[in-house]
């Protein structure tokens, strides 16, 4: 079962809407709100959520306190900025969601708690959680907004259910230097120019599509520097034998 | 060396600023812009970027074409929505950035290319890339914005340099049922109530902090259901022997 997302004292409706949208990108639909500043429902939240309004916001439940919102939850994570609180296990989104998947598989319900914009969760809120999630960001520039923090949580929740490498890159032979992008571009140019001169791109209305296919072909191949030389040489030789 | 982020024909200055901010969260600072719609520099981009303005936007380079922006790049990824293009290797952000780290370690320069808001990259742009990145989102609700797509790329670039489990959760004994959150909350209530009655929380001005510490303590322990029973029993026994 997917984690519940709990927003504690969220301020701007737009941010609630953006968080709902971030959730639904990764299939999360259960939202609980604790004392939203501007009441509920909130038209600005609905406007921002677009398609997530009906699937997430319309079903959101509102509570007066975090204790109430934790009803039915067995394992709760509080999200905080780096270094805020060190008396509990501190997770990255990755390690938290790995644990959350294990807990969920045992039938335990998981929630992730997010604090208000800027101020973040108060210590009393964090005290109710079993563990902390801190996104590892540049310590000199930590500027994730609420929806982005929710996004990374959803992304990590979903990552295991999705193949890491749906269509893996073919590998170059070990030890051989890869061709640079510019070498491959020059190779593509060379072939395109000569094939054009040879009348290959015919009929004219199909030429742009044919050229595009050919560019795609070269750039997706894991060519070595040696391969590129070979292919240039082959082309030159063909022209020498059969060309003008 | 960190990947270069290339934004192709970005429209809203705000989105350029938000992308710069997303980058700097993960230490990415090299931005290249291809034909930004509203020219450059863009005051709205600067306003949105806040602290990332000086470190990212002020150093951004502007190009007339993607071909120009790929100067010095050896390995380029194009980000597209799911299913757009299947003639090249299709990566998740995770697998792309794993490959990018390996390429970077070999001294190759990597770029990730993002298209304009809504329309995304054109086929001619994608043709210049070696591979594709598609974020695995809910196919019924794919709604990542530009800054969010940049954010996930930066997050994946940074993830290996950061510990997955900075402060790992202590583990429960195998085979024992974990206490639920509500069981732990009741245990915390029980102790707090009895300790309060016993005069433990003294002096009064320190009581809130002491209670908070105690709540934190209970909730961070990997207690089993049996542990909770034991601790309730211990408390009851103490009161029976020494209480009122």
């Amino acid at each position: 079962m997917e984690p519940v997302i709990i927003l504690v004292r969220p301020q701007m409706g737009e941010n609630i809407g953006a968080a709902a949208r971030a959730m639904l990108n990764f299939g999360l639909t259960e939202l609980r709100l604790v004392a939203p500043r501007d009441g509920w429902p909130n038209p600005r939240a609905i406007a921002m959520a677009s398609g997530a309004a009906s699937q997430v916001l319309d079903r959101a439940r509102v509570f007066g306190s975090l204790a109430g919102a934790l009803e039915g939850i067995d394992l709760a994570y509080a999200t905080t900025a780096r270094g805020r609180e060190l008396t509990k296990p501190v997770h990255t989104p990755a390690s938290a969601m790995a644990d959350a998947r294990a807990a969920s598989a045992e039938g335990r319900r998981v929630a992730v708690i997010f604090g208000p914009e800027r101020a973040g969760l108060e210590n009393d809120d964090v005290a109710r959680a079993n563990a902390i999630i801190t996104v590892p960001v540049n310590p000199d520039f930590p500027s994730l907004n609420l929806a982005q923090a929710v996004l990374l949580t959803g992304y990590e929740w979903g990552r295991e259910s999705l193949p890491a490498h749906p269509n893996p890159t073919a590998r170059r032979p070990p030890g051989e230097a890869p061709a640079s992008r510019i070498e491959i571009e020059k190779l593509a140019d060379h072939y395109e120019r000569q094939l054009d001169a040879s009348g290959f791109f015919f009929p004219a209305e199909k030429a742009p599509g044919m050229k595009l296919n050919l560019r795609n072909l070269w750039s997706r191949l894991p060519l070595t520097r040696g391969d590129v030389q070979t292919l240039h040489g082959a082309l030159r030789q063909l022209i020498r034998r059969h060309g003008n």
Side-chain angles (χ1 to χ4, degrees), chain A:
Chain A
M1 211 156 173
E2 292 79 30
V4 174
I5 299 296
I6 301 178
L7 305 184
V8 176
R9 299 181 296 281
Q11 304 187 312
M12 308 269 286
E14 289 84 347
N15 294 332
I16 302 172
R21 209 162 155 157
M23 288 170 64
L24 193 53
N25 267 292
F26 300 103
L28 305 184
T29 55
E30 192 167 342
L31 177 64
R32 300 185 185 179
L33 302 171
V34 176
R37 185 189 67 185
D38 298 337
W40 196 255
N42 182 324
R44 288 169 181 267
I46 292 164
M48 176 61 95
S50 70
S54 59
Q55 287 183 77
V56 180
L57 294 187
D58 289 356
R59 299 159 57 192
R61 293 169 62 197
V62 181
F63 298 84
S65 69
L66 176 57
L70 286 168
E71 175 197 316
I73 300 299
D74 300 303
L75 178 61
Y77 294 91
T79 53
T80 73
R82 177 166 289 285
R84 184 42 198 288
E85 159 76 65
L86 290 169
T87 62
K88 302 199 181 207
V90 177
H91 284 270
T92 60
S95 65
M97 291 301 102
D99 283 6
R101 282 189 296 272
S104 184
E106 289 176 352
R108 305 170 73 202
R109 287 231 71 189
V110 176
V112 186
I113 309 166
F114 297 85
E117 301 95 322
R118 304 187 191 282
L121 290 169
E122 293 182 0
N123 289 342
D124 283 335
D125 302 320
V126 176
R128 297 187 179 274
N130 304 93
I132 287 172
I133 298 177
T134 294
V135 180
V137 290
N138 177 357
D140 297 329
F141 191 78
S143 85
L144 294 181
N145 64 34
L146 180 57
Q148 287 173 329
V150 171
L151 185 83
L152 291 173
T153 303
Y155 173 76
E156 286 290 354
W157 170 260
R159 72 183 292 131
E160 291 294 305
S161 55
L162 299 149
H165 231 299
N167 173 6
T169 317
R171 298 288 164 178
R172 280 178 281 114
E176 298 215 23
S180 71
R181 198 197 49 80
I182 200 79
E183 287 167 336
I184 288 175
E185 186 143 323
K186 283 182 181 162
L187 182 70
D189 289 345
H190 189 188
Y191 270 80
E192 186 175 298
R193 195 169 59 242
Q194 294 298 348
L195 288 170
D196 216 355
S198 77
F200 176 77
F201 299 115
F202 180 86
E205 65 272 23
K206 291 207 172 162
M210 292 170 81
K211 288 180 183 177
L212 189 61
N213 283 343
L214 202 65
R215 292 256 162 200
N216 274 324
L217 182 152
W218 297 121
S219 63
R220 81 166 175 270
L221 299 176
L223 295 171
T224 67
R225 197 155 279 183
D227 294 334
V228 169
Q229 291 316 315
T230 303
L231 290 165
H232 275 298
L235 180 56
R236 276 193 297 270
Q237 187 57 26
L238 288 167
I239 294 161
R240 207 170 289 146
R241 293 277 297 210
H242 301 288
N244 45 349

